[in-house]
Amino acid sequence: MKKTNKFLDLAEKKGQEAPQEKFSGTLAEYLSLVERTTEITILSHKRLYDTIINYGVTRMAQEDSRCNNLFNGEAIKTYDYFQSKFFGMERSLAKIMRYLHSASMKGEESRQVLLLLGPVGAGKSALVEHTKAALESSGPFYHIKGCPVQEEPLHLIPRSLRVKFKEIYGITIEGDLCPVCRYRLLKEHDGDYINYPVVESTFSVRARRGIGVVPPMDANTQDTSILIGSEDISKMDLYPEDDPRVLSLNGAFNVGNRGIVEFVEVFKNEIEFLHTMITATQEKAVPSPGKGAMIYFDGVIVAHCNEAEWNKFKSDNTNEAILDRIVRVNVPYCLEVGEEQKIYKKLLDISDFDAHIAPHTLEIAAMFAVLSRLKTSNKVDPITKMKIYNGEEVIEKGYVKKIDINDLRDEVRDEGMTGISTRFIMKAIDSALADSDRNMVTPISIRDALVKQVKEQIIVEDLREKYLSFLQKELHDEYLKILEKEITKAFVSAYQEQAESLFNNYLDHAEAYVNATKVKDNVTGEEMMADESFLTSIEEQIGIVGAAKENFRADITAYMFAKLRRKEIIDWSSYAPLKEAIENKLLTSVRDISRIVTKSKSRDKKQQRKFSEMVQTLMEEYGYNEASANEIIKYASNNLWRDS
Ligand SMILES: Nc1ncnc2c1ncn2[C@@H]1O[C@H](COP(=O)(O)OP(=O)(O)O)[C@@H](O)[C@H]1O
Ligand SMILES: [Mg+2]
C-alpha cells in the first residue's frame, strides 16, 4: 500500500505548479509596463502605505462602546492589517499611518525618520516586524538587474531626457544611477540604457532584499560599513582605486533601499553613527564607501527606543540636527484592561501553553498591569480610573459617575510610558503554572505569582510598595466582588431570567409610581398600587433612600421610555445603576445559603446537591474546570462573608 504523507504530497503538488512568471526584460520592456501601470514606479513610503491600506480600513462603529466611551464618539479609523494583532494601540497606529500618508505624498515627512518611542515590551519591535512583513506581502517591485542596491530602473534615463520623460509619462524621476550600475552601463553596455536588463523581485527580510536592519552596537564595534557597505580589500589589488567594482554595497541602507531600514534601539549607538541617517533623510542619499559619490536612497527609516535613551539624547543640544529630522510617535503600554487581556491571549495562543486558565485570571493580571501604568489622579481613585479608561460606567450613589475620560487624560502627560510590561505578566503566568500541580492558573494563583515576582524583581522601594498594595488591597477587594457575583450567578438558577423579571417588575412599578397609575398583574389581571416596599428593596441595594427615590424612579422611567421610543432594545442590564441594584439584590437573596453551602464541613445532603449543581454550572456555563471551580469556591468560603 502506498504510504501517504501529507507533507510530501504538498511538496509534490507545489513542484507541479507552474512557477510564477517573473518579469525579466530590458528597460524598453519595463517602460511598456510603466505605460500600463505607472504605480509600479512609486516610492517606498507610498508603497508601504498603499500595501497596508489595501488590507482594508474600518471605521470604528458608533455602536462600539469603545468608540463612545474612549474616543469621544469619533468614528476613528482602524487598519485591518494591524487589527487582529495589536490591541489598544489605535492612537499610535493612527499617528504612524498619518506619517506614512504624508510621506507618501513626497512631503517633508518623506525626509524624516519615524521614531517609535515607548517603554520596554510595549510592542515596538513587534510593530516594526509586522510592518516589514507587509512589504514582503506587497506585490513585486522592479529593479535594474544585478544592481547591489536594487535601484529603480528609471534611473537609467539620462538627466537630459527627464523633462521630456515627465511630459510623456507624467512621472518625475528622482535619483541617479548607483556607481556600480553607472560603471556597467558605460563599460559593459556601451551606454545602451534602453536595452539594459531589468528584473522583477520581491521584498524579503531574510534575503535582506529591500529590508535592512541596524542592530544597536557599542562604540567599539560600530563601523559605518554596517550602514553603507565597505570596500572589498581582496579586490583592491585587482582594480584601480575608485573603481566601483571594489565596492561591497551590503550595508543596511543599501539593503533597505526601496523598502525599509530599521534602527533597533537607535540611541544606544554613538551619535557619529547616526549622521548617515540624517544624510539619508536630508539628501535622500548615503555616502558610498571610500571616496565615491553619494548613492541615492529611497526608503522608510524607522527607529525605536525607550524613553530614558530618548531623554538622554534629547538633552544633548549638539543633536539638534537629528532631532529636527525625527517624527516621534509614542507607543505607550495598553491602558485598557479589556484590550490588555487580548494581548495575553494572543501571546498564549502562539506559545505551547495548554493549561486551563480559569475565568477572570487574565482580567486580574491585566488590571494589575494597567494599575501599574496609570498615573495618579486627583479626581478619582486608581480602580475608578482604571475602569473609566476601560470604558466602564462607574456607579456612585445610584448614578453613573459623571467623569469625563478626557479630564482624566488631561490631568497627566505621557501616560503609559512606565509600569509593568507585558513580559512581566507572561512570566508570572508561567510561574503560576509551574507552581501548580494541576496544570491550571486561577485568579488566585496569578495574584500570588505576581506578588512573589514583584517582591523579587521590583527593586525601587516605592514602586514595590505601590505594586504590592495594588495586589494585596485594591485587587484583592476587586476580585472578591467579582467572585461573589460569579458564585451568585452560579447559585441562582436561571440567573438571567430572574434578573429580567426583577427588572420588568421594577419598571412596571416605578412607572406606576411616577405616573400615579396602577399596575396590572399579568396573571390575575388585577389592578394594584405601585409596590413601594418592592421598589425600595431594589433601590436600597445601591444606597438610594429617602427623597432620592423619587428622582431615581423618574429618571429611570424617562430613560427607558426614551430608549423604547427610539426602538432600542432594553433589558435588565441597559441602565448601569439599575443593573447593579438588581445584581446586588440577587446577591443578597442567596448570601446566606451560599455561605453555608460553600463551607465543606457543614453541608447536609440537600446542600451537597446544591453544591454539586453550582460546580456544574460554573463548569458548563462559566468556563471553569472542576479543580478551578473548587478552588474559587474554597477561596470564597474563606474570604467572603467573614462577618458571620
Ligand atoms: N498593544 C499590544 N498589542 C499586541 N501585542 C502587544 C502589545 N504590546 C505588546 N505586545 C506584545 O508583547 C511582546 C513584547 O513586545 P516587543 O515588541 O518586544 O516590545 P518592545 O520592542 O516595545 O520592547 C510582543 O510579542 C508583542 O507582540
Ligand atoms: Mg524591542
Side-chain angles (χ1 to χ4, degrees), residues 55-314:
Y55 278 87
V57 182
T58 311
R59 285 213 174 259
M60 195 180 271
Q62 296 279 338
E63 301 85 64
D64 188 332
S65 64
R66 290 184 71 225
C67 172
N68 276 315
N69 298 337
L70 305 174
F71 296 96
N72 307 323
E74 204 184 309
I76 63 150
K77 281 185 195 165
T78 55
Y79 299 90
D80 297 3
Y81 183 64
F82 294 108
Q83 198 58 7
S84 61
K85 291 211 163 66
F86 294 90
F87 307 105
M89 255 195 180
E90 286 82 0
R91 285 193 171 75
S92 305
L93 286 169
K95 285 182 194 147
I96 292 170
M97 292 307 289
R98 198 179 308 145
Y99 159 84
L100 279 179
H101 183 62
S102 351
S104 72
M105 308 209 278
K106 303 191 190 172
E108 181 53 28
E109 252 95 349
S110 65
R111 289 164 183 272
Q112 304 263 331
V113 175
L114 175 65
L115 174 69
L116 306 181
L117 182 72
V120 53
K124 303 180 296 296
S125 300
L127 205 55
V128 178
E129 286 308 315
H130 197 54
T131 306
K132 291 189 293 190
L135 270 190
E136 285 187 313
S137 77
S138 73
F141 71 103
Y142 299 85
H143 62 80
I144 297 176
K145 189 174 181 186
C147 172
V149 300
Q150 59 279 327
E151 69 187 312
E152 166 60 54
L154 295 182
H155 289 181
L156 286 160
I157 311 276
R159 281 261 158 198
S160 56
L161 295 178
R162 290 190 182 179
V163 175
K164 270 271 165 279
F165 184 89
K166 174 152 195 205
E167 281 170 18
I168 298 167
Y169 290 91
I171 296 170
T172 309
I173 303 172
E174 248 188 42
D176 295 303
L177 277 183
C178 81
V180 176
C181 291
R182 184 181 308 124
Y183 180 89
R184 287 201 192 130
L185 174 63
L186 296 176
K187 301 280 156 123
E188 296 167 14
H189 295 265
D190 285 335
D192 177 11
Y193 62 90
I194 282 296
N195 289 306
Y196 205 101
V198 169
V199 292
E200 169 190 329
S201 211
T202 48
F203 290 89
S204 164
V205 175
R206 278 202 300 169
R208 301 185 80 221
R209 208 164 45 233
I211 300 173
V213 179
V214 186
M217 269 165 306
D218 64 58
N220 302 322
T221 55
Q222 60 175 263
D223 177 343
T224 47
S225 66
I226 291 281
L227 300 178
I228 58 168
S230 56
E231 290 177 302
D232 187 340
I233 301 177
S234 68
K235 289 184 184 154
M236 297 253 243
D237 296 339
L238 301 174
Y239 305 115
E241 204 186 344
D242 293 349
D243 188 312
R245 282 174 297 181
V246 305
L247 298 179
S248 284
L249 294 177
N250 57 6
F253 278 107
N254 309 130
V255 167
N257 189 34
R258 309 291 299 280
I260 289 189
V261 177
E262 174 192 12
F263 280 80
V264 180
E265 313 202 1
V266 60
F267 298 124
K268 285 212 166 82
N269 294 301
E270 292 293 304
I271 304 300
E272 290 73 43
F273 198 58
L274 300 174
H275 283 295
T276 314
M277 191 168 89
I278 316 190
T279 324
T281 55
Q282 232 158 11
E283 299 173 30
K284 284 201 91 174
V286 294
S288 65
K291 297 191 196 70
M294 300 282 281
I295 302 174
Y296 173 78
F297 170 78
D298 162 43
V300 180
I301 306 178
V302 187
H304 41 107
C305 77
N306 67 39
E307 212 176 18
E309 286 157 6
W310 165 250
N311 287 336
K312 185 159 151 265
F313 180 82
K314 205 173 51 171

Side-chain angles (χ1 to χ4, degrees), residues 572-587:
W572 72 279
S573 59
S574 300
Y575 187 64
L578 187 56
K579 169 171 180 258
E580 179 153 313
I582 290 172
E583 280 176 339
N584 287 351
K585 171 85 179 159
L586 289 170
L587 217 80

Side-chain angles (χ1 to χ4, degrees), residues 423-578:
R423 259 183 226 114
F424 189 97
I425 301 289
M426 296 311 289
K427 269 194 280 175
I429 295 176
D430 281 341
S431 70
L433 182 62
D435 288 345
S436 148
D437 44 11
R438 282 152 152 171
N439 199 32
M440 69 175 187
V441 189
T442 65
I444 299 143
S445 68
I446 190 67
R447 202 177 59 105
D448 289 346
L450 285 168
V451 167
K452 210 163 119 198
Q453 211 166 290
V454 166
K455 285 184 179 162
E456 280 168 12
Q457 294 182 16
I458 306 296
I459 306 152
V460 181
E461 195 146 343
D462 290 358
L463 273 186
R464 189 171 55 223
E465 294 297 308
K466 182 171 138 187
Y467 292 171
L468 286 177
S469 154
F470 283 149
L471 288 165
Q472 291 166 334
K473 296 203 188 84
E474 279 92 344
L475 278 180
H476 180 68
D477 294 347
E478 201 55 31
Y479 178 59
L480 287 182
K481 280 187 213 155
I482 295 173
L483 182 59
E484 189 171 17
K485 236 181 228 179
E486 191 96 326
I487 289 196
T488 306
K489 276 196 197 165
F491 230 120
V492 178
S493 48
Y495 185 86
Q496 298 294 339
E497 286 86 341
Q498 292 210 33
E500 199 62 39
S501 122
L502 280 177
F503 169 74
N504 287 327
N505 273 335
Y506 184 87
L507 217 55
D508 288 346
H509 286 266
E511 188 197 5
Y513 178 88
V514 170
N515 301 333
T517 53
K518 293 211 164 153
V519 186
K520 199 166 169 189
D521 190 293
N522 281 341
V523 186
T524 61
E526 191 186 336
E527 298 229 315
M528 54 188 171
M529 300 276 288
D531 182 348
E532 270 267 21
S533 70
F534 166 70
L535 290 173
T536 311
S537 78
I538 300 274
E539 289 149 0
E540 66 190 14
Q541 298 296 334
I542 47 173
I544 293 177
V545 286
K549 292 194 289 200
E550 313 267 334
N551 284 337
F552 187 75
R553 288 170 197 172
D555 287 351
I556 229 164
T557 312
Y559 178 87
M560 291 298 174
F561 286 98
K563 261 184 169 310
L564 281 178
R565 260 199 308 280
R566 290 197 299 268
K567 302 224 184 325
E568 285 175 41
I569 294 173
I570 57 169
D571 68 12
W572 72 279
S573 59
S574 300
Y575 187 64
L578 187 56

